[in-house]
């Protein structure tokens, strides 16, 4: 009897990750380049294909073992309809393939394949709810339109506030002055910076916001409360779709928790597994 393998791919971070299993045993794991099919479709699939070959080889299997492998790839940007249509033509020589978004495998992992929801808050933000049969996604439409409760949005608000203080529209504090100092206290320098700034650049302001809030700065505390309120807005909607169990994930999840409303904190559960485990659990469903 031929062995069958399950391979999960997590393309949700700056580095793509893969895990190969058989009968519940992890055979190999690998890390590669970015895999965002929205921002760079061709590079994302190249990263995914390289990782597939890498974990097969790392497990000591011949390349033909891929034909006995069910692959579930959770790729950032796969929720966009035009990208999803394009992905229909991606056909690596595996036994079965399912491509979903990175937030879907994160949700499946957080609740060990059981119904539940996640809200991922890092540089950007996106939510997903799983009812046991279908995923419902919330947000994830990019920095310009979405990303409520994210680090990038918090950073943008912080720099806007610092500029208001610099122009004496609102009270200036050591915190706002320190943000302006990063741009030589020049609004024009700040403006020129925004031309090429990506969400990760805006999010670099986040640690100073938390530090200033801990020191009692009223502006920083207000910024964190706005972020917490945005997260609460998304969480309340997600819990109506998911039997009430929700996990926060991402780099902002832990530091923002104490700022959340008590009813939101009461809804939260700790993630049980990572996104790759979620991809593997979805692969198991494909085989049923």
């Amino acid at each position: 009897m031929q062995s069958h393998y399950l391979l999960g791919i997590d393309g949700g971070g700056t580095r793509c990750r893969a895990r190969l299993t058989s009968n519940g045993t992890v055979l190999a794991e690998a890390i590669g380049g970015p895999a965002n099919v929205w921002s760079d479709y061709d590079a994302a699939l190249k990263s995914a294909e390289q990782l597939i070959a890498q974990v097969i080889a790392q497990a000591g299997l011949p390349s033909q073992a891929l034909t006995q492998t069910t692959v579930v790839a959770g790729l950032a940007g796969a929720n966009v309809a035009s990208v999803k249509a394009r992905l229909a033509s991606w056909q690596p020589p595996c036994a079965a393939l399912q491509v979903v978004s990175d937030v879907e495998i994160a949700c499946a992992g957080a609740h060990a394949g059981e119904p539940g929801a996640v809200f991922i808050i890092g540089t950007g933000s996106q939510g997903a709810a799983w009812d046991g049969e279908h995923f419902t996604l919330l947000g994830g439409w990019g920095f310009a339109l979405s990303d409520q409760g994210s680090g990038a949005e918090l950073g943008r608000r912080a720099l806007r506030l610092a500029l208001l203080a610099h122009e004496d529209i609102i009270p200036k504090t050591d915190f706002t002055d320190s943000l302006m100092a990063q741009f030589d206290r020049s609004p024009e320098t700040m403006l020129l910076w925004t031309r090429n700034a990506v969400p990760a650049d805006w999010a670099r302001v986040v640690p100073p916001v938390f530090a200033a809030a801990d020191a009692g700065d009223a502006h920083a505390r207000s910024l964190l409360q706005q972020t917490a309120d945005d997260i609460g807005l998304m969480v309340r909607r997600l819990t109506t779709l998911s039997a009430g169990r929700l996990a926060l994930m991402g780099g902002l999840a832990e530091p923002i928790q104490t700022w959340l409303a008590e009813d939101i904190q009461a809804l939260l559960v700790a993630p049980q597994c990572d996104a790759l485990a979620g991809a593997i659990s979805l692969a198991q469903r494909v085989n049923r």
Side-chain angles (χ1 to χ4, degrees), residues 169-200:
I169 297 169
I170 61 174
K172 190 179 299 183
T173 66
D174 290 343
F175 164 62
T176 62
D177 186 60
S178 69
L179 293 182
M180 289 303 301
Q182 297 178 24
F183 302 93
D184 299 322
R185 296 183 176 84
S186 166
E188 184 172 349
T189 299
M190 182 184 282
L191 175 64
L192 292 173
W193 174 84
T194 65
R195 284 183 173 178
N196 298 311
V198 297

Side-chain angles (χ1 to χ4, degrees), residues 94-213:
C94 54
L97 172 68
Q98 182 179 21
V99 181
V100 296
S101 71
D102 56 318
V103 72
E104 289 171 80
I105 61 170
C107 185
H111 303 289
E114 296 299 316
V118 295
F119 190 51
I120 301 175
I121 39 175
T123 297
S125 71
Q126 189 175 16
W130 167 248
D131 63 7
E133 294 292 335
H134 304 97
F135 285 102
T136 301
L137 305 187
L138 211 61
W141 300 111
F143 183 45
L145 295 174
S146 188
D147 283 355
Q148 287 85 354
S150 70
E153 180 60 21
L154 174 55
R156 176 162 57 182
R157 283 175 170 166
L159 292 183
R160 285 178 169 177
L161 186 144
L163 185 56
L164 288 172
H166 178 77
E167 296 186 322
D168 295 321
I169 297 169
I170 61 174
K172 190 179 299 183
T173 66
D174 290 343
F175 164 62
T176 62
D177 186 60
S178 69
L179 293 182
M180 289 303 301
Q182 297 178 24
F183 302 93
D184 299 322
R185 296 183 176 84
S186 166
E188 184 172 349
T189 299
M190 182 184 282
L191 175 64
L192 292 173
W193 174 84
T194 65
R195 284 183 173 178
N196 298 311
V198 297
D201 295 324
W202 293 92
R204 291 193 185 103
V205 178
V206 170
V209 178
F210 277 95

Side-chain angles (χ1 to χ4, degrees), residues 2 6-7 10 17 36 64 81 84 89 95-96 154 160 162 164-165 172 180 191 193 215 220 222 230 235 271 285:
Q2 281 190 328
L6 304 178
L7 195 159
D10 175 14
R17 301 184 302 142
N36 188 315
Q64 293 85 351
K84 186 179 292 187
S89 64
L154 174 55
R160 285 178 169 177
L164 288 172
K172 190 179 299 183
M180 289 303 301
L191 175 64
W193 174 84
S222 176
D230 283 350
V235 165
R285 293 179 63 88

